[in-house]
Amino acid sequence: LRGVVARVALSSVPLLEGAQSCVQAGIFSSLQPSNLRLTRAVHPDSIQEHSASPAFSLLFDPQTSGGLLFSVPSDHADALLSDIHGLGADYAAASVIGEVVERQDETDGVCLHLVQ
């Protein structure tokens, strides 16, 4: 995947109950600070705009980042989500959290851009 941007709607990312409260209280996993090195893949404007959000910190917390993330063509997303929700209450938080689009600049690689 070269030359793409993953646009993630931070407010659409499902979080474990109580996770934001922990971050707001300054409670993090011992490995979370080292995971922050992965912010190099996040667009600088997104870091500036969202880094104060507890949800941003949770994107890099190893205790809460174990969920399954995958990409499907947008015209298949609704049907797949319906199938996942049909598996029961354990899958109720499954959601579309963003999209992958072609990058508009010359930079190689994948970039995460957080949006409202």
Side-chain angles (χ1 to χ4, degrees):
L1 290 176
R2 296 188 72 186
V4 297
V5 173
R7 286 192 196 144
V8 174
L10 192 56
S11 61
S12 296
V13 176
L15 302 173
L16 295 173
E17 185 176 332
Q20 286 196 52
S21 299
C22 286
V23 170
Q24 289 168 329
I27 301 168
F28 297 93
S29 164
S30 61
L31 297 176
Q32 193 268 354
S34 65
N35 282 1
L36 284 175
R37 72 183 185 284
L38 299 173
T39 60
R40 68 181 179 270
V42 179
H43 192 281
D45 291 345
S46 292
I47 293 173
Q48 183 175 4
E49 183 176 347
H50 298 285
S51 63
S53 165
F56 180 85
S57 295
L58 289 168
L59 291 177
F60 303 95
D61 189 289
Q63 299 300 315
T64 58
S65 62
L68 178 62
L69 175 68
F70 56 95
S71 177
V72 298
S74 59
D75 59 339
H76 291 59
D78 288 339
L80 178 60
L81 199 55
S82 178
D83 288 347
I84 292 170
H85 287 155
L87 295 173
D90 289 342
Y91 302 95
S95 60
V96 174
I97 64 167
E99 62 182 343
V100 177
V101 297
E102 187 175 335
R103 206 161 181 175
Q104 299 300 312
D105 61 28
E106 300 294 322
T107 310
D108 287 335
V110 176
C111 179
L112 177 65
H113 192 116
L114 301 172
V115 295
Q116 295 295 354

XYZ file of all heavy atoms in Angstrom:
851
model
N 0.837 -1.188 0.000
C 0.000 0.000 0.000
C 0.878 1.246 0.000
O 1.168 1.812 1.040
C -0.898 0.028 1.229
C -2.015 -0.991 1.282
C -2.742 -0.891 2.609
C -2.958 -0.820 0.138
N 1.270 1.677 -1.129
C 2.091 2.877 -1.223
C 1.203 4.008 -1.714
O 0.349 3.822 -2.570
C 3.233 2.650 -2.180
C 4.169 1.557 -1.657
C 5.371 1.466 -2.467
N 6.179 2.649 -2.181
C 7.277 2.945 -2.811
N 7.725 2.171 -3.755
N 7.966 4.023 -2.506
N 1.445 5.176 -1.178
C 0.741 6.352 -1.649
C -0.715 6.430 -1.260
O -1.533 6.913 -2.034
N -1.039 5.928 -0.080
C -2.417 6.022 0.390
C -2.477 6.709 1.751
O -1.486 6.778 2.473
C -3.109 4.647 0.476
C -3.211 4.000 -0.892
C -2.424 3.740 1.462
N -3.649 7.208 2.055
C -3.933 7.814 3.351
C -5.094 7.041 3.969
O -6.104 6.808 3.311
C -4.326 9.303 3.207
C -4.782 9.873 4.534
C -3.186 10.116 2.638
N -4.925 6.624 5.206
C -6.028 6.035 5.957
C -6.658 7.165 6.762
O -6.054 7.695 7.680
C -5.528 4.930 6.872
N -7.837 7.583 6.362
C -8.570 8.617 7.100
C -9.412 7.918 8.151
O -10.307 7.147 7.831
C -9.483 9.402 6.166
C -8.774 10.344 5.278
C -9.778 11.268 4.611
N -9.167 11.913 3.486
C -9.774 12.205 2.359
N -11.050 11.910 2.196
N -9.128 12.800 1.392
N -9.118 8.189 9.401
C -9.812 7.550 10.512
C -10.585 8.613 11.284
O -10.015 9.617 11.710
C -8.808 6.836 11.455
C -9.516 6.291 12.679
C -8.088 5.726 10.705
N -11.865 8.375 11.450
C -12.702 9.263 12.256
C -12.518 8.850 13.709
O -13.061 7.839 14.152
C -14.156 9.161 11.830
N -11.725 9.609 14.426
C -11.373 9.251 15.801
C -12.617 9.016 16.660
O -12.655 8.104 17.478
C -10.488 10.347 16.401
C -9.797 10.052 17.710
C -8.937 8.802 17.616
C -8.956 11.238 18.141
N -13.649 9.809 16.440
C -14.873 9.656 17.235
C -15.633 8.372 16.896
O -16.518 7.968 17.643
C -15.786 10.865 17.025
O -16.165 10.962 15.657
N -15.283 7.707 15.810
C -15.957 6.459 15.418
C -15.230 5.213 15.895
O -15.749 4.107 15.757
C -16.084 6.387 13.892
O -16.905 7.424 13.417
N -14.037 5.370 16.451
C -13.270 4.224 16.925
C -13.884 3.728 18.237
O -13.943 4.477 19.213
C -11.780 4.588 17.139
C -11.008 3.416 17.731
C -11.153 5.053 15.833
N -14.371 2.478 18.266
C -14.952 1.959 19.511
C -13.873 1.832 20.590
O -12.762 1.374 20.321
C -15.472 0.574 19.125
C -15.473 0.531 17.645
C -14.446 1.507 17.177
N -14.210 2.245 21.789
C -13.276 2.175 22.915
C -13.888 1.342 24.030
O -15.108 1.319 24.210
C -12.959 3.576 23.439
C -12.352 4.550 22.429
C -12.255 5.934 23.037
C -11.002 4.059 21.961
N -13.028 0.677 24.778
C -13.508 -0.084 25.928
C -14.079 0.857 26.978
O -13.563 1.968 27.186
C -12.359 -0.884 26.541
C -11.765 -1.979 25.678
C -10.533 -2.566 26.354
C -12.792 -3.062 25.397
N -15.120 0.408 27.644
C -15.740 1.216 28.695
C -14.705 1.555 29.766
O -13.962 0.679 30.222
C -16.908 0.446 29.319
C -17.679 1.271 30.335
C -18.886 0.525 30.884
O -19.433 -0.334 30.168
O -19.263 0.818 32.023
N -14.611 2.807 30.112
C -13.688 3.262 31.146
C -12.302 3.632 30.646
O -11.507 4.202 31.388
N -12.008 3.319 29.382
C -10.661 3.580 28.857
C -10.344 5.072 28.833
O -9.257 5.493 29.248
C -10.507 2.966 27.470
N -11.285 5.877 28.361
C -11.032 7.325 28.317
C -10.862 7.901 29.713
O -10.021 8.775 29.931
C -12.153 8.054 27.570
C -12.074 7.830 26.077
C -12.914 8.816 25.308
O -12.806 10.013 25.492
N -13.755 8.297 24.429
N -11.630 7.403 30.661
C -11.501 7.882 32.043
C -10.115 7.587 32.595
O -9.535 8.414 33.308
C -12.552 7.221 32.934
O -13.843 7.541 32.496
N -9.581 6.429 32.268
C -8.233 6.080 32.724
C -7.204 7.045 32.149
O -6.331 7.537 32.868
C -7.883 4.649 32.325
S -8.727 3.394 33.300
N -7.291 7.308 30.855
C -6.341 8.233 30.217
C -6.463 9.618 30.838
O -5.464 10.271 31.138
C -6.558 8.276 28.691
C -5.758 9.407 28.057
C -6.173 6.943 28.076
N -7.689 10.073 31.054
C -7.893 11.399 31.647
C -7.320 11.470 33.058
O -6.898 12.531 33.504
C -9.381 11.753 31.644
C -9.889 12.035 30.243
C -11.405 12.111 30.153
O -12.129 11.451 30.895
N -11.885 12.918 29.215
N -7.264 10.325 33.752
C -6.695 10.273 35.094
C -5.184 10.039 35.062
O -4.549 9.911 36.103
C -7.380 9.171 35.905
N -4.625 9.936 33.843
C -3.185 9.731 33.712
C -2.746 8.288 33.871
O -1.573 8.013 34.106
N -3.681 7.364 33.737
C -3.366 5.942 33.868
C -3.158 5.353 32.476
O -4.066 5.348 31.644
C -4.503 5.191 34.588
C -4.734 5.789 35.968
C -4.195 3.699 34.671
C -6.004 5.313 36.645
N -1.938 4.884 32.218
C -1.575 4.289 30.934
C -0.880 2.958 31.180
O -0.304 2.739 32.241
C -0.585 5.185 30.171
C -1.128 6.519 29.797
C -0.959 7.617 30.614
C -1.805 6.688 28.596
C -1.454 8.852 30.267
C -2.305 7.928 28.237
C -2.128 9.010 29.071
N -0.884 2.122 30.183
C -0.081 0.901 30.220
C 1.388 1.301 30.247
O 1.783 2.336 29.705
C -0.366 0.069 28.974
O 0.631 -0.899 28.793
N 2.224 0.463 30.827
C 3.657 0.768 30.870
C 4.272 0.792 29.466
O 5.307 1.422 29.250
C 4.393 -0.260 31.744
O 4.231 -1.557 31.208
N 3.664 0.123 28.504
C 4.192 0.087 27.143
C 3.646 1.199 26.247
O 4.156 1.420 25.153
C 3.892 -1.265 26.492
C 4.537 -2.467 27.159
C 4.077 -3.747 26.479
C 6.043 -2.353 27.120
N 2.634 1.915 26.694
C 2.014 2.940 25.862
C 2.990 4.018 25.411
O 3.009 4.368 24.237
C 0.808 3.548 26.575
C -0.091 4.378 25.699
C 0.243 5.843 25.685
O 1.108 6.315 26.427
N -0.415 6.572 24.838
N 3.850 4.542 26.280
C 4.773 5.589 25.817
C 5.694 5.131 24.679
O 5.940 5.887 23.737
C 5.577 5.939 27.070
C 4.669 5.592 28.203
C 3.944 4.355 27.726
N 6.157 3.895 24.730
C 7.023 3.431 23.640
C 6.230 3.234 22.350
O 6.777 3.378 21.259
C 7.767 2.158 24.032
O 6.873 1.095 24.216
N 4.956 2.933 22.471
C 4.125 2.801 21.270
C 3.894 4.138 20.582
O 3.580 4.178 19.395
C 2.777 2.164 21.616
C 2.875 0.669 21.788
O 3.950 0.093 21.677
N 1.758 0.049 22.077
N 4.044 5.225 21.316
C 3.847 6.549 20.717
C 4.836 6.833 19.592
O 4.617 7.721 18.792
C 3.924 7.645 21.781
C 2.696 7.781 22.665
C 2.944 8.802 23.759
C 1.471 8.151 21.844
N 5.905 6.052 19.501
C 6.846 6.243 18.395
C 6.145 6.016 17.056
O 6.604 6.484 16.020
C 8.061 5.334 18.542
C 7.788 3.881 18.285
C 9.014 2.997 18.526
N 8.773 1.629 18.158
C 8.068 0.759 18.853
N 7.519 1.107 20.000
N 7.899 -0.479 18.421
N 5.035 5.307 17.073
C 4.294 5.045 15.848
C 3.560 6.279 15.327
O 3.001 6.236 14.232
C 3.311 3.891 16.066
C 3.969 2.569 16.459
C 2.928 1.531 16.813
C 4.878 2.068 15.353
N 3.588 7.367 16.078
C 2.961 8.593 15.586
C 3.673 9.125 14.349
O 3.144 9.990 13.664
C 2.913 9.702 16.661
O 4.244 10.008 17.076
C 2.058 9.305 17.838
N 4.836 8.586 14.023
C 5.525 9.026 12.802
C 4.693 8.736 11.563
O 4.905 9.324 10.510
C 6.909 8.393 12.704
C 6.905 6.904 12.474
C 8.327 6.325 12.407
N 8.317 4.900 12.218
C 8.301 4.003 13.181
N 8.296 4.389 14.445
N 8.293 2.718 12.909
N 3.736 7.824 11.654
C 2.860 7.515 10.529
C 1.588 8.361 10.536
O 0.766 8.243 9.641
C 2.487 6.036 10.547
N 1.444 9.220 11.527
C 0.260 10.074 11.631
C 0.590 11.436 11.033
O 1.644 12.009 11.305
C -0.191 10.222 13.103
C -1.409 11.125 13.205
C -0.481 8.854 13.714
N -0.322 11.935 10.228
C -0.127 13.240 9.600
C 0.091 14.299 10.688
O -0.637 14.334 11.677
C -1.348 13.589 8.746
C -1.131 14.739 7.848
N -1.186 16.032 8.284
C -0.838 14.776 6.527
C -0.955 16.836 7.271
N -0.735 16.095 6.185
N 1.088 15.181 10.512
C 1.388 16.192 11.540
C 0.191 17.067 11.913
O 0.027 17.420 13.081
C 2.503 17.028 10.906
C 3.124 16.125 9.897
C 2.030 15.226 9.398
N -0.658 17.398 10.958
C -1.848 18.197 11.282
C -2.783 17.429 12.215
O -3.415 18.012 13.099
C -2.607 18.583 10.008
C -1.850 19.577 9.146
O -0.876 20.203 9.637
O -2.239 19.740 7.963
N -2.865 16.117 12.019
C -3.719 15.293 12.877
C -3.181 15.228 14.296
O -3.947 15.262 15.253
C -3.842 13.879 12.313
O -4.566 13.879 11.114
N -1.861 15.131 14.413
C -1.260 15.116 15.752
C -1.571 16.416 16.467
O -2.007 16.418 17.625
C 0.262 14.885 15.673
C 0.546 13.471 15.153
C 0.913 15.093 17.038
C 2.003 13.204 14.869
N -1.380 17.520 15.781
C -1.629 18.823 16.399
C -3.094 18.969 16.805
O -3.406 19.462 17.883
C -1.241 19.934 15.429
C -1.389 21.311 16.016
C -0.881 22.386 15.060
O -0.482 22.112 13.935
N -0.902 23.616 15.524
N -3.997 18.509 15.949
C -5.422 18.686 16.215
C -5.978 17.714 17.255
O -6.871 18.059 18.029
C -6.205 18.531 14.909
C -7.688 18.765 15.064
C -8.429 18.698 13.736
O -7.785 18.721 12.667
O -9.665 18.607 13.778
N -5.453 16.484 17.303
C -6.094 15.441 18.113
C -5.269 14.911 19.283
O -5.788 14.121 20.070
C -6.475 14.262 17.221
C -7.459 14.608 16.154
N -8.790 14.802 16.401
C -7.285 14.810 14.823
C -9.412 15.098 15.280
N -8.523 15.106 14.302
N -4.018 15.302 19.415
C -3.163 14.670 20.430
C -3.642 14.889 21.862
O -3.315 14.091 22.734
C -1.715 15.126 20.268
O -1.614 16.517 20.483
N -4.425 15.906 22.108
C -4.933 16.139 23.467
C -6.131 15.243 23.800
O -6.517 15.125 24.963
C -5.319 17.608 23.643
N -6.682 14.586 22.801
C -7.853 13.732 23.010
C -7.443 12.418 23.664
O -6.487 11.774 23.229
C -8.517 13.445 21.662
O -9.427 12.379 21.781
N -8.169 11.978 24.692
C -7.877 10.664 25.280
C -7.959 9.544 24.241
O -7.191 8.587 24.285
C -8.949 10.495 26.347
C -9.368 11.874 26.707
C -9.239 12.670 25.430
N -8.858 9.673 23.283
C -9.000 8.641 22.257
C -7.730 8.534 21.410
O -7.358 7.434 20.989
C -10.204 8.933 21.374
N -7.043 9.633 21.175
C -5.789 9.600 20.414
C -4.769 8.756 21.167
O -4.121 7.888 20.579
C -5.259 11.019 20.192
C -3.978 11.063 19.411
C -3.987 11.057 18.032
C -2.757 11.127 20.058
C -2.812 11.101 17.298
C -1.566 11.172 19.348
C -1.605 11.158 17.956
N -4.620 8.984 22.453
C -3.680 8.197 23.251
C -4.018 6.722 23.223
O -3.132 5.864 23.192
C -3.676 8.683 24.703
O -3.184 9.990 24.780
N -5.294 6.401 23.213
C -5.713 5.005 23.227
C -5.408 4.285 21.915
O -5.316 3.053 21.898
C -7.195 4.905 23.562
C -7.514 5.255 25.021
C -9.007 5.423 25.220
C -6.951 4.194 25.953
N -5.215 5.025 20.841
C -4.812 4.384 19.584
C -3.454 3.709 19.715
O -3.127 2.799 18.962
C -4.742 5.407 18.450
C -6.049 6.004 17.960
C -5.769 7.054 16.892
C -6.983 4.927 17.432
N -2.661 4.139 20.698
C -1.299 3.634 20.874
C -1.128 2.815 22.147
O -0.030 2.418 22.478
C -0.311 4.812 20.876
C -0.415 5.624 19.625
C -1.207 6.750 19.582
C 0.246 5.233 18.480
C -1.332 7.488 18.413
C 0.142 5.958 17.312
C -0.649 7.091 17.277
N -2.209 2.556 22.845
C -2.131 1.806 24.090
C -2.252 0.317 23.811
O -3.230 -0.125 23.216
C -3.246 2.246 25.038
C -3.067 1.636 26.412
O -3.279 0.416 26.544
O -2.713 2.362 27.343
N -1.267 -0.486 24.204
C -1.301 -1.914 23.882
C -2.440 -2.662 24.583
O -2.833 -3.732 24.134
C 0.060 -2.426 24.348
C 0.512 -1.456 25.370
C -0.064 -0.127 24.963
N -2.989 -2.115 25.636
C -4.080 -2.792 26.344
C -5.395 -2.672 25.593
O -6.302 -3.470 25.790
C -4.246 -2.218 27.754
C -3.028 -2.372 28.626
C -2.642 -3.824 28.824
O -3.467 -4.674 29.080
N -1.357 -4.103 28.693
N -5.524 -1.626 24.765
C -6.804 -1.387 24.094
C -6.686 -1.479 22.583
O -7.660 -1.243 21.880
C -7.358 -0.003 24.480
O -6.399 0.989 24.121
C -7.665 0.075 25.947
N -5.529 -1.831 22.073
C -5.371 -1.855 20.619
C -5.438 -3.264 20.055
O -4.981 -3.515 18.950
C -4.044 -1.203 20.228
O -2.968 -1.930 20.775
N -6.036 -4.162 20.777
C -6.080 -5.540 20.324
C -7.261 -5.889 19.439
O -7.403 -7.017 19.019
N -8.094 -4.902 19.144
C -9.248 -5.168 18.297
C -8.848 -5.464 16.873
O -7.739 -5.178 16.439
N -9.747 -6.047 16.137
C -9.497 -6.399 14.757
C -9.816 -5.214 13.858
O -10.876 -4.596 13.955
C -10.375 -7.597 14.371
C -10.281 -8.087 12.943
C -8.852 -8.580 12.641
C -11.279 -9.207 12.720
N -8.885 -4.880 12.989
C -9.068 -3.803 12.028
C -8.789 -4.366 10.645
O -7.758 -5.007 10.424
C -8.111 -2.645 12.325
C -8.106 -1.501 11.328
C -9.435 -0.740 11.380
C -6.953 -0.550 11.626
N -9.705 -4.168 9.734
C -9.451 -4.596 8.370
C -10.162 -3.667 7.409
O -11.035 -2.893 7.786
C -9.827 -6.055 8.138
C -11.243 -6.421 8.466
C -12.220 -6.436 7.480
C -11.592 -6.795 9.748
C -13.525 -6.793 7.784
C -12.891 -7.161 10.059
C -13.861 -7.172 9.068
N -9.737 -3.740 6.165
C -10.256 -2.862 5.129
C -10.989 -3.685 4.081
O -10.528 -4.755 3.685
C -9.085 -2.105 4.492
O -9.537 -1.295 3.439
N -12.126 -3.172 3.645
C -12.894 -3.796 2.566
C -13.312 -2.697 1.602
O -13.357 -1.519 1.971
C -14.149 -4.537 3.098
C -13.769 -5.666 4.031
C -15.102 -3.579 3.778
N -13.624 -3.050 0.371
C -14.131 -2.033 -0.557
C -15.372 -1.363 0.028
O -16.218 -2.034 0.643
C -14.471 -2.835 -1.822
C -13.601 -4.054 -1.747
C -13.499 -4.365 -0.269
N -15.477 -0.061 -0.153
C -16.553 0.695 0.484
C -17.940 0.184 0.106
O -18.862 0.227 0.922
C -16.433 2.184 0.171
O -16.471 2.398 -1.230
N -18.103 -0.347 -1.106
C -19.415 -0.831 -1.510
C -19.787 -2.171 -0.863
O -20.899 -2.658 -1.019
C -19.536 -0.908 -3.032
C -18.508 -1.819 -3.683
O -17.455 -2.090 -3.060
O -18.756 -2.257 -4.821
N -18.867 -2.752 -0.094
C -19.142 -3.997 0.640
C -19.277 -3.756 2.150
O -19.655 -4.664 2.890
C -18.005 -5.007 0.433
C -17.919 -5.555 -0.939
N -17.735 -4.788 -2.065
C -17.986 -6.825 -1.377
C -17.691 -5.549 -3.122
N -17.842 -6.808 -2.740
N -18.964 -2.560 2.599
C -18.878 -2.288 4.038
C -20.202 -2.499 4.772
O -20.233 -3.141 5.824
C -18.354 -0.877 4.275
N -21.290 -1.977 4.246
C -22.571 -2.084 4.956
C -23.011 -3.535 5.105
O -23.473 -3.946 6.175
C -23.653 -1.266 4.245
C -23.455 0.230 4.406
O -22.761 0.658 5.359
O -23.998 0.983 3.561
N -22.872 -4.320 4.048
C -23.281 -5.729 4.117
C -22.409 -6.501 5.107
O -22.914 -7.303 5.902
C -23.216 -6.367 2.734
N -21.110 -6.247 5.073
C -20.212 -6.929 5.996
C -20.529 -6.546 7.439
O -20.593 -7.405 8.324
C -18.754 -6.596 5.678
C -17.720 -7.224 6.603
C -17.796 -8.745 6.563
C -16.333 -6.745 6.248
N -20.744 -5.264 7.677
C -21.069 -4.815 9.027
C -22.370 -5.442 9.512
O -22.470 -5.867 10.673
C -21.161 -3.288 9.041
C -21.044 -2.602 10.372
C -19.773 -2.988 11.103
C -21.098 -1.096 10.179
N -23.334 -5.555 8.642
C -24.595 -6.204 9.005
C -24.363 -7.675 9.379
O -24.914 -8.164 10.369
C -25.573 -6.102 7.836
O -26.779 -6.753 8.143
N -23.523 -8.356 8.608
C -23.197 -9.752 8.916
C -22.497 -9.873 10.273
O -22.801 -10.770 11.060
C -22.307 -10.353 7.833
C -23.039 -10.612 6.532
O -24.296 -10.564 6.514
O -22.348 -10.844 5.515
N -21.561 -8.972 10.539
C -20.832 -9.006 11.813
C -21.786 -8.751 12.975
O -21.763 -9.466 13.978
C -19.671 -7.988 11.809
C -18.602 -8.440 10.808
C -19.078 -7.826 13.209
C -17.531 -7.400 10.545
N -22.635 -7.754 12.848
C -23.601 -7.466 13.913
C -24.545 -8.647 14.133
O -24.997 -8.886 15.252
C -24.387 -6.205 13.599
C -23.589 -4.955 13.746
N -23.889 -3.804 13.069
C -22.470 -4.674 14.462
C -23.010 -2.863 13.373
N -22.143 -3.381 14.220
N -24.821 -9.395 13.067
C -25.687 -10.567 13.168
C -25.082 -11.700 13.979
O -25.779 -12.646 14.348
N -23.797 -11.601 14.285
C -23.140 -12.643 15.081
C -23.452 -12.525 16.573
O -23.096 -13.406 17.344
C -21.622 -12.591 14.860
C -21.160 -12.928 13.452
C -19.664 -12.676 13.310
C -21.520 -14.368 13.097
N -24.071 -11.427 16.982
C -24.478 -11.297 18.373
C -23.951 -10.057 19.057
O -23.201 -9.260 18.483
N -24.349 -9.929 20.316
C -24.038 -8.733 21.102
C -22.538 -8.505 21.282
O -22.102 -7.362 21.435
C -24.712 -8.815 22.465
N -21.741 -9.558 21.256
C -20.294 -9.399 21.408
C -19.682 -8.565 20.284
O -18.567 -8.071 20.405
C -19.592 -10.759 21.439
C -19.857 -11.521 22.731
O -20.285 -10.897 23.719
O -19.640 -12.745 22.733
N -20.402 -8.417 19.194
C -19.886 -7.707 18.024
C -20.618 -6.390 17.766
O -20.490 -5.801 16.697
C -19.962 -8.616 16.800
C -19.193 -9.895 17.011
C -19.838 -11.048 17.452
C -17.824 -9.927 16.830
C -19.126 -12.215 17.683
C -17.104 -11.091 17.065
C -17.762 -12.223 17.488
O -17.050 -13.371 17.722
N -21.370 -5.921 18.753
C -22.169 -4.706 18.580
C -21.319 -3.466 18.316
O -21.780 -2.525 17.670
C -23.048 -4.479 19.813
N -20.090 -3.448 18.783
C -19.237 -2.262 18.603
C -18.571 -2.206 17.236
O -17.944 -1.199 16.897
C -18.167 -2.219 19.693
N -18.710 -3.252 16.433
C -18.106 -3.238 15.099
C -18.636 -2.044 14.324
O -19.836 -1.748 14.341
C -18.437 -4.543 14.369
N -17.747 -1.327 13.661
C -18.168 -0.122 12.958
C -17.180 0.245 11.860
O -16.041 -0.206 11.849
C -18.311 1.044 13.945
O -17.080 1.298 14.575
N -17.655 1.068 10.957
C -16.793 1.667 9.944
C -16.160 2.882 10.608
O -16.867 3.757 11.126
C -17.599 2.078 8.696
C -16.724 2.836 7.710
C -18.216 0.849 8.034
N -14.837 2.930 10.610
C -14.152 4.035 11.290
C -13.415 4.958 10.335
O -12.830 5.947 10.764
C -13.175 3.519 12.371
C -12.054 2.698 11.745
C -13.930 2.748 13.450
C -10.903 2.426 12.699
N -13.437 4.656 9.052
C -12.739 5.534 8.122
C -12.692 4.972 6.728
O -13.496 4.114 6.350
N -11.714 5.472 5.967
C -11.560 5.059 4.581
C -10.099 5.177 4.169
O -9.328 5.906 4.790
C -12.418 5.924 3.665
C -12.026 7.394 3.697
C -12.901 8.268 2.830
O -13.615 7.751 1.951
O -12.866 9.491 3.023
N -9.744 4.447 3.143
C -8.409 4.523 2.563
C -8.551 5.209 1.214
O -9.365 4.794 0.386
C -7.777 3.126 2.393
C -6.423 3.220 1.709
C -7.646 2.434 3.747
N -7.784 6.286 1.030
C -7.861 7.057 -0.209
C -6.458 7.283 -0.762
O -5.460 7.153 -0.047
C -8.568 8.410 0.013
C -10.013 8.204 0.441
C -7.836 9.263 1.029
N -6.392 7.640 -2.030
C -5.109 7.922 -2.657
C -4.501 9.183 -2.051
O -5.184 10.160 -1.785
C -5.300 8.129 -4.158
C -4.007 8.272 -4.919
C -4.232 8.351 -6.414
O -5.265 7.842 -6.898
O -3.369 8.934 -7.089
N -3.216 9.115 -1.833
C -2.480 10.235 -1.245
C -2.324 11.354 -2.269
O -2.073 11.099 -3.439
C -1.117 9.737 -0.791
C -0.561 10.549 0.330
C 0.505 9.767 1.021
N 0.993 10.590 2.101
C 1.845 10.204 2.970
N 2.324 8.987 2.902
N 2.245 10.995 3.919
N -2.455 12.587 -1.818
C -2.404 13.725 -2.721
C -1.032 14.381 -2.802
O -0.842 15.322 -3.553
C -3.440 14.774 -2.287
C -4.865 14.252 -2.314
C -5.288 13.784 -3.688
O -5.102 14.469 -4.669
N -5.851 12.585 -3.765
N -0.066 13.895 -2.034
C 1.278 14.480 -2.090
C 2.270 13.448 -2.617
O 1.904 12.340 -2.970
C 1.709 15.043 -0.731
C 1.765 13.983 0.356
O 2.004 12.802 0.044
O 1.574 14.329 1.525
N 3.516 13.792 -2.641
C 4.549 12.935 -3.222
C 5.125 11.910 -2.255
O 5.941 11.092 -2.642
C 5.701 13.814 -3.743
C 5.276 14.788 -4.807
C 4.836 14.103 -6.090
O 5.454 13.090 -6.460
O 3.861 14.564 -6.692
N 4.737 11.941 -1.005
C 5.324 11.091 0.009
C 4.922 9.634 -0.203
O 3.778 9.329 -0.478
C 4.880 11.550 1.414
O 5.102 12.936 1.530
C 5.632 10.815 2.491
N 5.895 8.735 -0.080
C 5.616 7.306 -0.172
C 5.067 6.797 1.145
O 5.239 7.413 2.186
C 6.894 6.528 -0.490
C 7.329 6.717 -1.928
O 6.480 7.015 -2.782
O 8.525 6.569 -2.172
N 4.463 5.646 1.094
C 4.028 4.981 2.313
C 2.598 5.296 2.687
O 1.888 6.021 2.003
N 2.198 4.724 3.809
C 0.853 4.907 4.328
C 0.889 5.993 5.389
O 1.804 6.050 6.201
C 0.329 3.588 4.948
C -1.044 3.788 5.575
C 0.277 2.495 3.903
N -0.108 6.847 5.384
C -0.202 7.920 6.376
C -1.576 7.845 7.020
O -2.584 7.668 6.324
C -0.004 9.277 5.701
S -0.135 10.674 6.816
N -1.626 7.976 8.322
C -2.879 8.018 9.056
C -3.277 9.465 9.238
O -2.487 10.275 9.755
C -2.722 7.336 10.426
C -3.920 7.367 11.350
C -5.072 6.574 10.753
C -3.559 6.817 12.713
N -4.457 9.817 8.780
C -4.953 11.173 8.948
C -6.256 11.079 9.732
O -7.211 10.446 9.285
C -5.208 11.827 7.582
C -5.445 13.289 7.658
N -4.601 14.201 7.092
C -6.413 14.004 8.254
C -5.040 15.412 7.311
N -6.138 15.310 8.032
N -6.279 11.670 10.888
C -7.470 11.622 11.740
C -8.399 12.760 11.348
O -7.970 13.875 11.102
C -7.072 11.754 13.203
C -6.114 10.667 13.697
C -5.619 10.984 15.089
C -6.769 9.305 13.647
N -9.684 12.456 11.292
C -10.696 13.435 10.916
C -11.789 13.452 11.965
O -11.885 12.552 12.802
C -11.277 13.137 9.516
C -10.213 13.279 8.438
C -11.923 11.764 9.453
N -12.611 14.473 11.915
C -13.730 14.587 12.859
C -14.805 13.589 12.560
O -15.033 13.095 11.562
C -14.331 15.991 12.836
C -13.394 17.037 13.307
C -13.003 16.921 14.775
O -13.512 16.103 15.532
N -12.064 17.724 15.187
